Amino acid sequence: MHDTTTVLEEGNTVSTVLITTDYLHPGDDVDTLLRAHGHETVHSPRRRASPRR
């Protein structure tokens, strides 16, 4: 995950968390927890590499 902080006004900030895993989804427990603590989440899963044979 990648975190960026944006200053909205004096003393107030919002952290944007980029979630790149393919097993976390908008509205899941992790997303809900991050949002409940004032973070903004952006989901951009990376493609999983094909298993090696």
Side-chain angles (χ1 to χ4, degrees), residues 22-47:
D22 59 349
Y23 54 87
L24 295 176
H25 305 282
D28 65 10
D29 291 342
V30 172
D31 184 68
T32 302
L33 179 70
L34 289 169
R35 289 178 180 273
H37 286 277
H39 301 289
E40 177 183 339
T41 59
V42 176
H43 292 263
S44 181
R46 305 211 179 205
R47 294 183 183 253

Side-chain angles (χ1 to χ4, degrees), residues 14-30:
V14 172
S15 293
T16 301
V17 180
L18 175 61
I19 300 173
T20 59
T21 59
D22 59 349
Y23 54 87
L24 295 176
H25 305 282
D28 65 10
D29 291 342
V30 172

